[in-house]
Amino acid sequence: MKKVLFSILFIGNYVASQAQEKDSTILKNTDLHEVIIRGVNNSADVSSEYTSRIPLKNLENPQVTHSVNSKLILNRNYFVQYNMLSNVTGVSPSWAGVSPYYTVRGFRTRSNFRNGILGYVASDIDPVNIAQLDVVKGPSGTLFGSSMTVFGGVINRVTVKPQDDNFTSITLAGGNNNFQRATFDVNTKLDTESKGLMRITGAYTNKESFQDQGVYQNLFLAPSLLIRYPIS
């Protein structure tokens, strides 16, 4: 009886040791050391760099600035600028003829600036090449140094620029009153060392209305080229 009990205990201990050794082997083979996740933020806010005129971080900029980024523009399918400005408090459209005027804190102004430089636009252009729309509120807009600024604020358009990557984006939209819109955004590297970058954005928009003055047709194309030269 003692021999049989000893044999059972020996077999049980042997099976348990073999299972433990097998489990430890599995754990060693599937040991996880580290996980690296990389991503790119395509909607980085660059408003502080343009509005303060010096390289400040957003938290260090004391100016009151509201921004409409590219993701919001794409999700809302904006194709006119005054619709984009509806997301900024204190700004309202104030039309006068065919040239769009806006009221910023009670002062009338236009969307006069492009990338921080005066670029007068007499009509409401297609915003397909706008990466970000900034509204600098208050008298700090006079830092742009032009007779086109007002004490209410400044509207600045930040346009898209060539990126160090290859990508293509195409969007189609449709609606009532025969609304049709197609946009494309193509970015490519011209060489393997990324010394030459090219980007082309464009849009076609057709919109009708029950009124005679509601017909809208527009074709927009904006190519941009970036050449990098090494500084010795």
Side-chain angles (χ1 to χ4, degrees):
M1 184 67 181
K2 292 183 180 179
K3 291 183 179 180
V4 174
L5 182 61
F6 177 77
S7 300
I8 293 175
L9 292 176
F10 177 77
I11 294 173
N13 292 333
Y14 177 77
V15 172
S17 62
Q18 291 294 325
Q20 184 177 3
E21 182 179 359
K22 184 177 180 181
D23 293 339
S24 62
T25 304
I26 294 175
L27 291 176
K28 290 180 181 179
N29 293 335
T30 60
D31 192 13
L32 186 62
H33 295 283
E34 63 182 7
V35 175
I36 300 176
I37 300 176
R38 297 177 181 176
V40 178
N41 187 5
N42 295 324
S43 61
D45 189 359
V46 295
S47 60
S48 180
E49 179 181 352
Y50 283 98
T51 58
S52 61
R53 297 308 206 179
I54 54 177
L56 284 178
K57 296 181 180 179
N58 292 334
L59 295 178
E60 298 175 353
N61 189 0
Q63 296 169 313
V64 180
T65 305
H66 284 199
S67 300
V68 182
N69 59 28
S70 58
K71 287 188 176 181
L72 180 61
I73 297 173
L74 181 62
N75 291 337
R76 297 292 181 89
N77 195 24
Y78 292 134
F79 63 94
V80 285
Q81 191 171 336
Y82 70 86
N83 285 336
M84 298 166 57
L85 291 172
S86 63
N87 295 275
V88 181
T89 57
V91 179
S92 59
S94 177
W95 291 86
V98 296
S99 300
Y101 276 88
Y102 303 96
T103 300
V104 182
R105 289 189 173 181
F107 293 86
R108 295 184 66 190
T109 184
R110 290 179 176 178
S111 180
N112 297 319
F113 291 87
R114 182 188 293 113
N115 297 325
I117 301 176
L118 180 63
Y120 177 75
V121 179
S123 61
D124 204 353
I125 62 174
D126 196 296
V128 68
N129 71 326
I130 296 180
Q132 184 171 298
L133 188 65
D134 297 332
V135 179
V136 187
K137 295 183 179 180
S140 58
T142 56
L143 290 174
F144 284 75
S146 172
S147 60
M148 304 301 294
T149 59
V150 296
F151 288 105
V154 168
I155 301 174
N156 179 46
R157 302 184 304 273
V158 181
T159 59
V160 297
K161 298 175 179 59
Q163 305 294 323
D164 191 3
D165 199 0
N166 295 324
F167 60 85
T168 301
S169 175
I170 299 175
T171 62
L172 300 174
N176 56 352
N177 293 322
N178 197 22
F179 172 72
Q180 302 172 8
R181 179 170 171 83
T183 66
F184 67 91
D185 186 3
V186 180
N187 189 95
T188 182
K189 297 188 289 187
L190 301 180
D191 58 282
T192 57
E193 298 180 356
S194 299
K195 293 183 179 179
L197 305 174
M198 187 174 183
R199 187 171 183 175
I200 302 177
T201 56
Y204 169 75
T205 305
N206 178 80
K207 184 184 72 171
E208 297 178 1
S209 174
F210 65 94
Q211 297 175 330
D212 295 336
Q213 297 180 354
V215 179
Y216 178 89
Q217 275 191 338
N218 184 46
L219 179 62
F220 183 86
L221 184 65
S224 56
L225 179 65
L226 175 62
I227 305 296
R228 298 174 178 174
Y229 290 98
I231 301 176
S232 57

